[in-house]
Amino acid sequence: MAEPAEDIEPFLATTAEMLIAEGMTSAADLLKTAAIRTGETGYDNWNGGTYTFTVFLEVDPATFAQLGDGRAVLEEQIGVRLKAVVESRSSNWYTVSIVPNVTPRPDWRETKGDLSQVVRRNIIDGLKLDNVAWAGRLEDVEFLERIYDLRKLPSHDSRFEDAAGDIWQHRVNNPEDWSGDWIYGDSRFNLIGGPSDAFLRFLCEVVHPVVRPDRNEVLKLVQQFNDQLRQDGWSLVEQEKIAGRPRYVARALGMTGGRSVSRARSVADALDAGWMQKEIERLENAVERDPALAIGTAKDLVESCCKSILIKRGVAFTSSAGLPDLTKLLAKELKLVPEGVSEQARGSDAVKHILRNLSAITHNLAELRGLYGSGHGRDGQHRGLEPRHARLAVASAVAFIDFVTETHHRRPADVIEPAA
C-alpha cells in the first residue's frame, strides 16, 4: 500500500470536505489556496519504527504574519481531520504546519521609493540603443564633475591618483581605450546598483541645458525616462528655465494627477497622436510647480484631442476655431448632443445631464484659463490657483478626452481618413 505522503492530494481533498461540512471554512479555504509540500520530519523506533510526515501549507509572508496566533488553531483543525483520513492507510504520524513561502526576491533590500534595477537597466538600454552620448557636448570628466568629486574616487590606472586623471587618460587623451558607454559598468559610479538619488541626478544632468541644448532632443529623452521612472513612482519635472531651456529635477509622484496623466497618455496612444505627447509632458510637470500653466495646458490638451479626432473622421474646421467650436463639431459628429438620447431609454434624463456637463467642462476650462491660467499677464496683487485646482482641471480634461476617444472608436466614421 502506497504511503499517503507520496500522493497527498486526495487525502487533502477529503480533509477539506470534512472542514466545510463542520463549518470550518477558514481552514478549508487556506487548505485549498496554500502551496502544498510534504516531507519526512521525524522517526521513532516505537512499535517497529514510526515515521512522522509533515504537510507544509505554504502561504505568502503577509498572510502568514496576519494569521498570528490563529495559525495554531487552523493547524489543529486541519491536522485532526487529516489524521482521521490517513490512519486507515498508514501507521505513520501526520502533522500539519503553516509556513511562509520562500521565493527569490532580488530587490528585497530596496525600500519604497527606490528605483529598481529593472527600471535602471531599461533606461540605460534605451540610451545605448539610440546611441545617446550621455555627456552631451561636454567631455566625460567635465560632465561627471557636475555630480561627483572625482578626486575622491580611486583610479583604475596606477599611473593616476584619482578617477579624474584615469578618465581623462582613457576618454580624452586616448579616446579609443574605452567605449562611449563605459560609465554604465564602472563600479565607482554603480549606476545600476547604487543609490537611487545618484542615478536620478545622473539623468537630470544628461538632459541639462548646458549638456544638451537641443530642446527637442531633451523633451524626447525626458519622455523616455519618465515612461520608465513612473513605474517606480518617480518623474523628471521642469524646475526652472535657463536661457529659455528647461532644467529638470527628479520628483516622487504623489497627488500630482498621476492617474489622470497616465490615462491621458493612453488616450494619445489610442489616437496615435504624437502631437499630444508634449502637452501631456508639460501638464505632468506643471501640476505642482505651476498650476496656472497646468490649467492652460489642460485646455490645450482638450483642443488637441478634438482636432485629432475631427481630422481622423474627415470633419473640416477652420484654423481660427476655438475650443467651443471644436467641441460643438465633435459632439455633432459623435452624436453626443443630448437630443440624441432616446426619451424611451431608461435614465435618459440622467444621461442628458451628464452629457451637458461633459460638454460644459471644455467651456469652463477655457474660462478658467482666461481668469487664472497661463495665457494672460497678472498684476502684483494677483493670487493664482493652487495645485488642487490644477488637479481638478486636469482630471476634468482627461475625463472628457477619455470619453470622446472611446466613443470615436466605438462609432465608425462616415468619412475614412485618407492614407498618408
Side-chain angles (χ1 to χ4, degrees):
M1 181 183 300
E3 183 66 35
E6 296 176 12
D7 183 14
I8 198 67
E9 281 293 316
F11 299 91
L12 295 180
T14 302
T15 301
E17 287 185 27
M18 294 171 64
L19 290 166
I20 293 171
E22 295 181 60
M24 301 178 184
T25 55
S26 295
D29 290 342
L30 187 142
L31 186 59
K32 290 179 180 180
T33 57
I36 307 299
R37 176 170 55 87
T38 305
E40 181 186 322
T41 55
Y43 174 77
D44 193 304
N45 59 11
W46 178 81
N47 196 25
T50 303
Y51 293 90
T52 299
F53 293 94
T54 300
V55 178
F56 295 99
L57 307 180
E58 296 185 346
V59 298
D60 66 85
T63 299
F64 178 84
Q66 291 167 0
L67 288 175
D69 295 338
R71 292 195 300 271
V73 175
L74 294 171
E75 288 170 349
E76 182 179 3
Q77 290 176 344
I78 298 171
V80 168
R81 283 140 193 88
L82 177 62
K83 179 182 178 182
V85 174
V86 301
E87 62 184 1
S88 64
R89 305 294 183 94
S90 174
S91 60
N92 292 312
W93 295 334
Y94 279 77
T95 64
V96 172
S97 179
I98 301 171
V99 298
N101 62 21
V102 179
T103 57
R105 294 178 176 86
D107 58 351
W108 71 274
R109 295 180 184 272
E110 297 175 358
T111 58
K112 186 175 181 179
D114 279 349
L115 285 178
S116 67
Q117 293 190 10
V118 172
V119 165
R120 300 188 200 200
R121 285 197 179 94
N122 286 346
I123 290 174
I124 289 173
D125 287 345
L127 291 170
K128 289 180 179 180
L129 288 171
D130 290 340
N131 293 316
V132 175
W134 50 271
R137 66 176 186 176
L138 305 184
E139 292 182 349
D140 292 10
V141 173
E142 185 181 7
F143 174 93
L144 292 172
E145 283 181 334
R146 298 171 61 88
I147 312 173
Y148 306 96
D149 186 348
L150 297 182
R151 283 160 182 76
K152 291 184 178 179
L153 294 177
S155 170
H156 290 333
D157 189 323
S158 59
R159 295 173 296 174
F160 302 94
E161 296 182 354
D162 52 43
D166 179 19
I167 298 168
W168 177 86
Q169 172 64 24
H170 299 288
R171 285 294 296 157
V172 180
N173 196 33
N174 292 321
E176 301 302 320
D177 286 357
W178 294 352
S179 66
D181 58 4
W182 67 272
I183 183 70
Y184 304 130
D186 195 301
S187 60
R188 293 171 293 188
F189 306 100
N190 196 14
L191 291 176
I192 293 292
S196 297
D197 60 344
F199 184 82
L200 292 167
R201 285 200 308 272
F202 176 81
L203 295 184
C204 290
E205 289 302 314
V206 168
V207 295
H208 193 282
V210 172
V211 176
R212 210 169 303 278
D214 187 324
R215 189 196 310 266
N216 290 331
E217 183 185 6
V218 166
L219 288 175
K220 178 182 177 182
L221 285 174
V222 169
Q223 180 180 329
Q224 292 173 351
F225 293 164
N226 284 343
D227 284 344
Q228 296 296 329
L229 292 174
R230 64 173 51 91
Q231 299 177 52
D232 284 348
W234 286 92
S235 177
L236 299 192
V237 300
E238 183 181 328
Q239 175 73 7
E240 61 180 351
K241 281 187 167 58
I242 299 178
R245 297 174 177 83
R247 182 180 74 83
Y248 290 89
V249 296
R251 181 173 294 164
L253 293 174
M255 296 295 290
T256 57
R259 290 185 179 179
S260 294
V261 172
S262 176
R263 188 57 194 160
R265 291 186 186 282
S266 299
V267 170
D269 290 341
L271 291 176
D272 192 23
W275 59 337
M276 291 173 63
Q277 293 295 346
K278 287 185 179 180
E279 288 164 359
I280 294 171
E281 192 75 36
R282 187 166 65 246
L283 184 149
E284 181 178 36
N285 294 337
V287 170
E288 296 292 329
R289 183 183 60 83
D290 190 346
L293 177 61
I295 292 169
T297 304
K299 177 257 184 186
D300 295 340
L301 184 63
V302 173
E303 280 191 358
S304 293
C305 178
C306 291
K307 289 178 180 178
S308 181
I309 295 177
L310 289 172
I311 290 173
K312 287 180 177 295
R313 299 177 77 91
V315 177
F317 55 89
T318 65
S319 58
S320 61
L323 184 54
D325 298 324
L326 293 170
T327 53
K328 185 176 181 180
L329 283 172
L330 187 62
K332 181 179 180 181
E333 168 65 20
L334 296 179
K335 298 179 174 62
L336 297 180
V337 290
E339 287 72 23
V341 179
S342 171
E343 290 292 343
Q344 286 71 37
R346 176 170 295 187
S348 61
D349 287 341
V351 174
K352 287 181 180 182
H353 286 304
I354 291 174
L355 290 175
R356 288 194 186 101
N357 291 334
L358 194 58
S359 297
I361 285 175
T362 58
H363 300 287
N364 294 334
L365 277 175
E367 183 177 355
L368 193 61
R369 180 179 185 270
L371 293 173
Y372 295 101
S374 58
H376 304 280
R378 299 291 172 216
D379 59 45
Q381 302 300 316
H382 172 73
R383 287 190 176 183
L385 295 176
E386 299 175 15
R388 60 194 175 95
H389 300 113
R391 287 193 290 271
L392 175 62
V394 170
S396 299
V398 172
F400 179 85
I401 66 174
D402 192 13
F403 180 78
V404 297
T405 299
E406 185 173 351
T407 305
H408 158 63
H409 287 298
R410 286 175 177 268
R411 296 181 179 170
D414 295 332
V415 180
I416 305 299
E417 182 183 8

